[in-house]
């Protein structure tokens, strides 16, 4: 029977930071989806929200498996979906573009500093997701 590898310190820090970043993205993307009028931009934000929720689910499962506490992160209490639009659709798109570059940079670093195969695979897929958002935005 093979001994299970424990998470390394960089892996723990990356996963924790990633969870916080994704919960923030959910709040921002949900707000943007309430204000964006352009159908193509709206669709791209729906895709981005889908990826964030998928990543959060994977992170929660990993934290539970490792018996780590799940960070609180950002919640519905941190966003007012009834607030009037703050930005134009084009500025929302530009924001998504910039956030995809920052997210991809962080996930690439997380990918290269991970040792466990399941963590490497997770960040590999996260990078593919970020590259899709970047390319489409």
């Amino acid at each position: 029977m093979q001994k299970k590898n424990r998470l390394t310190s960089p892996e723990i820090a990356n996963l924790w930071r990633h969870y916080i970043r994704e919960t923030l993205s959910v709040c921002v993307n949900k707000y943007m989806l309430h204000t964006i009028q352009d159908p193509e931009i709206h669709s791209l934000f729906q895709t981005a929200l889908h990826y964030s929720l998928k990543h959060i689910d994977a992170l929660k499962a990993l934290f539970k498996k490792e018996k780590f506490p799940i960070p609180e992160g950002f919640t519905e209490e941190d966003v007012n979906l009834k607030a009037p639009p703050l930005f134009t659709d084009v500025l929302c798109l530009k924001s998504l573009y910039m956030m995809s570059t920052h997210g991809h940079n962080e996930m690439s670093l997380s990918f290269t500093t991970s040792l466990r195969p399941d963590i490497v695979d997770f960040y590999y897929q996260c990078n593919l997701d970020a590259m899709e958002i970047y390319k489409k935005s």
Side-chain angles (χ1 to χ4, degrees):
M1 187 163 123
Q2 187 175 3
K3 182 180 175 186
K4 181 179 133 185
N5 292 333
R6 294 176 55 195
L7 290 171
T8 64
S9 294
E11 288 169 338
I12 293 168
N14 291 336
L15 293 167
W16 192 274
R17 183 176 50 250
H18 190 171
Y19 185 87
I20 300 300
R21 186 176 61 247
E22 290 290 6
T23 59
L24 175 61
S25 292
V26 166
C27 291
V28 170
N29 291 342
K30 281 184 176 182
Y31 172 76
M32 298 296 192
L33 283 167
H34 273 79
T35 65
I36 293 171
Q37 300 297 312
D38 183 276
E40 284 184 85
I41 297 172
H42 193 273
S43 177
L44 186 55
F45 269 86
Q46 285 178 317
T47 301
L49 177 61
H50 167 75
Y51 286 150
S52 288
L53 293 171
K54 180 179 80 168
H55 298 167
I56 289 169
D57 287 344
L59 288 162
K60 282 182 178 179
L62 183 63
F63 287 135
K64 286 179 184 177
K65 183 175 93 175
E66 296 297 321
K67 297 180 176 53
F68 272 78
I70 296 174
E72 183 174 331
F74 290 87
T75 68
E76 293 175 3
E77 295 176 10
D78 296 308
V79 63
N80 179 2
L81 297 179
K82 295 177 184 174
L86 297 172
F87 311 109
T88 65
D89 288 2
V90 173
L91 189 58
C92 291
L93 181 62
K94 177 71 172 175
S95 170
L96 184 63
Y97 171 81
M98 294 301 296
M99 293 313 295
S100 71
T101 62
H102 294 295
H104 178 64
N105 288 338
E106 283 200 34
M107 287 182 270
S108 293
L109 183 59
S110 298
F111 175 79
T112 59
T113 58
S114 296
L115 299 175
R116 269 184 34 178
D118 59 335
I119 306 300
V120 170
D121 291 345
F122 172 69
Y123 280 114
Y124 179 83
Q125 184 58 53
C126 288
N127 274 294
L128 292 176
D129 296 344
M131 287 188 291
E132 180 184 342
I133 297 297
Y134 172 83
K135 184 177 178 183
K136 288 182 177 179
S137 62

